[in-house]
């Protein structure tokens, strides 16, 4: 199938993984994009990666005409720029730094979630790990959010990293997330967005968090 030159192309494996915050951000803002999903490693490693017009060919990537951007945070920020919503990058210089700080902190949550999902005794250790490893991180996130709608007080590109992780944790154990009502409301606020809902119901929406080749808990959405 030929690629369209008239809309963004987000390339990644046919799972949620590292591309999902970018997909969510674009869906939220109703930016049309081609969700290019690879299933055959040979197609990517043998053909498309060597041909990708980038000094740093990798997945995820985003193509915008002749422009190619790779690396997770750069892809997410390029997508944010394409929405035309400049506030996503912060209303002040201080806020721009806080956004990057929030993104970096969220990566700690993401690492803990991934290691739990990959644990061969996932069902046995899930609640213990959630309480011992992930709860302290969510407590900090909850404190930072407070009574605000969003951590910065308005939507930023980092919110889609946060939302993705909160969504995963909620899927692991909805009752666990209920310990932080403000995070529940935060999740609902973003998830109820018309664009997000349309994307989640779309035919192209990837159902697995990670392939069962790498994790015990795939996070499959029904």
């Amino acid at each position: 199938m030929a690629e369209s030159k008239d809309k963004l192309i987000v390339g990644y494996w046919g799972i949620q993984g590292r591309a999902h915050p970018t997909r969510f951000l674009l869906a939220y803002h109703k930016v049309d994009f081609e969700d290019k999903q690879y299933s055959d490693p040979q197609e990517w490693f043998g053909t498309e990666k060597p041909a990708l017009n980038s000094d740093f060919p990798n997945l995820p990537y985003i193509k915008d005409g002749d422009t190619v951007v790779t690396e997770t945070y750069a892809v997410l920020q390029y997508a944010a720029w394409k929405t035309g919503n400049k506030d996503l990058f912060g209303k002040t210089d201080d806020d721009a730094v806080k956004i990057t700080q929030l993104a970096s902190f969220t990566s700690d949550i993401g690492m803990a979630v991934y290691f739990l999902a990959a644990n061969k005794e996932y069902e046995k250790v899930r609640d213990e790990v959630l309480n011992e490893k992930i709860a302290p991180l969510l407590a900090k996130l909850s404190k930072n959010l407070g009574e605000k709608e969003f951590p910065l007080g308005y939507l930023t590109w980092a919110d889609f990293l946060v939302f993705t992780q909160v969504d995963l944790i909620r899927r692991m154990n909805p009752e666990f997330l209920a310990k932080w009502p403000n995070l529940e409301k935060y999740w609902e606020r973003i998830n109820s967005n018309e664009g997000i809902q349309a994307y989640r119901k779309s035919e192209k929406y990837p159902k697995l968090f990670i392939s069962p080749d790498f994790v015990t808990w795939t996070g499959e959405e029904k």
Side-chain angles (χ1 to χ4, degrees):
M1 179 177 177
E3 294 178 349
S4 170
K5 295 183 180 297
D6 298 327
K7 60 182 176 181
L8 297 175
I9 301 169
V10 176
Y12 195 61
W13 303 111
I15 56 173
Q16 296 173 1
R18 293 179 178 271
H20 225 41
T22 294
R23 293 166 174 152
F24 277 143
L25 182 149
L26 292 171
Y28 185 99
H29 290 87
K30 298 181 180 179
V31 176
D32 191 22
F33 69 98
E34 180 181 335
D35 196 357
K36 185 174 179 61
Q37 299 176 12
Y38 296 94
S39 58
D40 179 6
Q42 180 57 33
E43 179 188 7
W44 168 245
F45 289 109
T47 304
E48 300 230 348
K49 184 176 182 179
L52 196 67
N53 183 29
S54 170
D55 291 338
F56 310 102
N58 207 349
L59 293 175
Y61 67 71
I62 193 166
K63 284 185 181 180
D64 181 16
D66 294 329
T67 299
V68 178
V69 178
T70 64
E71 301 305 322
T72 304
Y73 283 8
V75 168
L76 181 58
Q77 290 178 74
Y78 189 88
W81 177 68
K82 292 298 292 186
T83 69
N85 179 5
K86 294 182 179 180
D87 286 353
L88 289 173
F89 292 92
K91 295 181 179 181
T92 67
D93 290 345
D94 283 348
D95 280 3
V97 173
K98 289 178 181 178
I99 291 167
T100 303
Q101 176 180 257
L102 178 61
S104 183
F105 175 77
T106 306
S107 71
D108 292 340
I109 301 176
M111 190 67 69
V113 168
Y114 175 79
F115 281 132
L116 174 54
N119 194 304
K120 293 183 178 180
E121 296 187 311
Y122 170 79
E123 293 294 342
K124 181 179 179 181
V125 305
R126 184 197 68 178
D127 291 342
E128 178 183 353
V129 173
L130 283 172
N131 285 306
E132 292 186 2
K133 302 290 186 182
I134 296 177
L137 298 173
L138 290 186
K140 291 179 181 179
L141 189 62
S142 175
K143 181 180 179 181
N144 176 255
L145 178 61
E147 297 303 314
K148 304 186 298 293
E149 288 192 349
F150 304 102
L152 270 290
Y154 54 91
L155 191 72
T156 72
W157 63 265
D159 279 298
F160 294 92
L161 294 165
V162 177
F163 171 71
T164 300
Q165 295 307 321
V166 171
D167 186 74
L168 285 168
I169 293 167
R170 187 178 183 277
R171 282 151 54 189
M172 283 179 162
N173 186 346
E175 295 179 1
F176 173 73
L177 188 61
K179 296 177 182 179
W180 299 277
N182 64 338
L183 292 182
E184 274 279 10
K185 292 178 182 177
Y186 171 83
W187 175 84
E188 291 170 359
R189 189 172 297 118
I190 296 177
N191 192 60
S192 63
N193 169 269
E194 185 178 10
I196 294 283
Q197 282 297 303
Y199 177 54
R200 298 194 92 144
K201 295 173 183 176
S202 67
E203 184 177 321
K204 194 79 174 184
Y205 184 79
K207 299 294 187 181
L208 298 184
F209 162 47
I210 300 288
S211 166
D213 293 339
F214 302 101
V215 296
T216 303
W217 181 80
T218 64
E220 183 174 6
E221 295 189 47
K222 306 303 181 183

